[in-house]
Amino acid sequence: MQGSAQDKTTTDQYTIAIQPIVDARLQHVADELLYRGDCSASSAAIFDDVQATARACAVAIYEIGLDKLCGQRKLFINASGEWLLNPDLGGLPQSQIVIEILEDTEVNNALLHALRKLKYQGYTLALDDFELTDANRALLALADIVKFDISTGLPTALIQRLYKDGYTLLAERVETYEEFEKCKALGFSLFQGYFYQRPQVQTTNTQRHSTSRANQMQLLAQLYSDRVRLPALSTLIARDPYLLNAVLKRANSAEKAAQHPVHKLLDCIHIIGLKELRTLVSIIMLAGNNPASKINLISGLTRAFACEALAEQRGLDEEEGFITGLFSHMPVIIGIDLETMLKELPLSQPIHQALIQRQGPLGELLAHIEATERGSPPADVPAELILQAAAEARTLMDSHIS
């Protein structure tokens, strides 16, 4: 369970913790994803279950990445009724995610229909802190895993019945090795608690600055259009630094199994697919990240538009020019140093060389734009290029970014 409602926090310094789940041989086989309001918090302070899950998923899947966070192990996430009923959130990686239905979830026909759909899609379902009642009895027909909080007691008869019926039983809040042995004797095959390890807080270096809801709503409108226009999707994603990072990382994750690193944004969109892209955008919107400094965004977009225009003039790839310009300013926009960003983000070798050494055609292009910004433009760079790019950046901010 994530935690109870407390005072709303306005910080964007939230993070996650994960707690190992082990089998009867004490092999680490899965993890539970836990939300933390900040890196120093030892427990969750949750004022909104949906936002907490969205933030936790955004950090785990789109910032850290499941490969780095838990490898091939399953990841249990807490899902409230409101989350489960939102069709936009059904695009998480079903091969690795276990959905935990919170114990206070209202059971009704709409919820049962949503759970059947998730089962059909291939998700594993777990019942959190389970206590059998007439209201939640119908959930057993859909569950794969049943979790019991052993600190509140062990309903032995129910446990034995579920064990005989073939359910996977998970004991949580196992504090001692003696409790572990007792639960194992009752038929539990999964275990979680301080006897093995306390939750481990995970940190990232990314400051979660994103464009406004207006820009993201435009993106959602494109995603749900009867005629989805991939170039339009690509343009909107490229204008949002946080989304751009998330899409590139996700497309290059091991779970997506790309044979070679993918650098083109349109290729990334194809790999992720519209269904998961809808989920990605919805999660980031629900996470409610604070907007970046308008000045920093304008500066980054100005350079990106200038690089894009000069790339077109020189016969280079315009999208690569835009990304080179934007990512050269990304450390300022999202608060992460260049070295860390390049370690975490798969960029093409030409872009990488351009950013680090100003080498190659893209590196020369970036260097020439930077020289132009300093008032020393090369001969082939139009004098008005930066002014035109700045006007385009301000127009974008005024039109789409509140």
Side-chain angles (χ1 to χ4, degrees), residues 83-91 117 224 279:
W83 178 282
L84 294 167
L85 291 170
N86 189 334
D88 293 341
L89 301 174
K117 186 174 180 180
Y224 287 95
T279 298

Side-chain angles (χ1 to χ4, degrees), residues 96-283:
Q96 198 161 2
I97 295 295
V98 177
I99 296 175
E100 286 193 38
I101 304 162
L102 297 178
E103 68 276 13
D104 57 358
T105 299
E106 180 184 353
V107 181
N108 51 41
N109 288 334
L111 179 78
L112 294 174
H113 175 75
L115 293 177
R116 290 188 193 100
K117 186 174 180 180
L118 290 170
K119 285 280 287 185
Y120 178 78
Q121 292 171 350
Y123 289 99
T124 299
L125 302 183
L127 304 180
D128 189 34
D129 292 353
F130 190 66
E131 294 181 13
L132 183 61
T133 66
D134 290 338
N136 66 19
R137 190 180 300 274
L139 294 177
L140 283 173
L142 298 166
D144 304 285
I145 300 169
V146 182
K147 297 182 67 173
F148 288 91
D149 180 352
I150 72 165
S151 68
T152 62
L154 285 167
T156 305
L158 176 60
I159 289 168
Q160 291 175 340
R161 193 189 101 198
L162 293 176
Y163 173 71
K164 289 179 182 177
D165 288 343
Y167 289 93
T168 298
L169 303 180
L170 192 160
E172 59 179 338
R173 295 187 187 273
V174 181
E175 307 298 306
T176 67
Y177 191 77
E178 289 73 25
E179 289 177 338
F180 164 70
E181 290 289 352
K182 180 180 179 181
C183 291
K184 187 164 64 169
L186 285 173
F188 285 90
S189 58
L190 296 175
F191 310 85
Q192 177 182 2
Y194 290 177
F195 90 105
Y196 185 82
Q197 192 175 89
R198 292 174 178 267
Q200 302 295 300
V201 173
Q202 311 291 307
T203 59
T204 72
N205 294 311
T206 302
Q207 293 182 19
R208 300 168 186 101
H209 295 318
S210 215
T211 52
S212 74
R213 294 297 174 104
N215 192 64
Q216 292 170 352
M217 287 301 290
Q218 273 203 320
L219 183 53
L220 282 177
Q222 282 290 337
L223 284 167
Y224 287 95
S225 170
D226 290 336
R227 297 180 64 186
V228 177
R229 296 169 55 239
L230 294 186
L233 284 180
S234 178
T235 298
L236 288 167
I237 291 170
R239 301 318 190 238
D240 187 318
Y242 188 78
L243 272 175
L244 182 58
N245 271 284
V247 168
L248 288 169
K249 282 187 178 180
R250 183 62 187 146
N252 284 277
S253 67
E255 196 266 335
K256 289 299 178 185
Q259 292 182 344
H260 305 287
V262 182
H263 313 298
K264 291 280 192 178
L265 190 49
L266 278 173
D267 292 338
C268 290
I269 292 171
H270 280 293
I271 289 171
I272 293 174
L274 292 179
K275 180 177 172 133
E276 185 173 343
L277 191 58
R278 288 170 183 144
T279 298
L280 188 158
V281 174
S282 296
I283 283 175

Side-chain angles (χ1 to χ4, degrees), residues 383-394:
E384 68 278 6
L385 181 65
I386 297 297
L387 287 176
Q388 290 175 344
E392 192 172 357
R394 285 193 295 271

Side-chain angles (χ1 to χ4, degrees), residues 30 61 69 74 89 129 251 290 298 303 308 366 400:
I61 301 171
L69 182 68
K74 296 280 189 178
L89 301 174
D129 292 353
N290 293 333
I298 288 178
R303 182 178 294 177
E308 182 181 53
L366 178 58
H400 306 314

Side-chain angles (χ1 to χ4, degrees), residues 24-99:
R25 296 177 298 167
L26 295 180
Q27 298 296 308
H28 184 184
V29 295
D31 300 277
E32 180 171 4
L33 178 63
L34 305 166
Y35 172 73
R36 294 291 182 262
D38 61 70
C39 294
S40 63
S42 59
S43 61
I46 294 174
F47 54 86
D48 184 325
D49 281 323
V50 172
Q51 186 183 67
T53 300
R55 287 180 167 185
C57 287
V59 175
I61 301 171
Y62 306 126
E63 288 185 28
I64 297 175
L66 293 180
D67 315 338
K68 184 177 177 182
L69 182 68
C70 52
Q72 298 301 308
R73 297 188 300 273
K74 296 280 189 178
L75 185 67
F76 286 59
I77 70 165
N78 293 270
S80 65
E82 187 178 354
W83 178 282
L84 294 167
L85 291 170
N86 189 334
D88 293 341
L89 301 174
L92 296 173
Q94 64 265 30
S95 63
Q96 198 161 2
I97 295 295
V98 177
I99 296 175

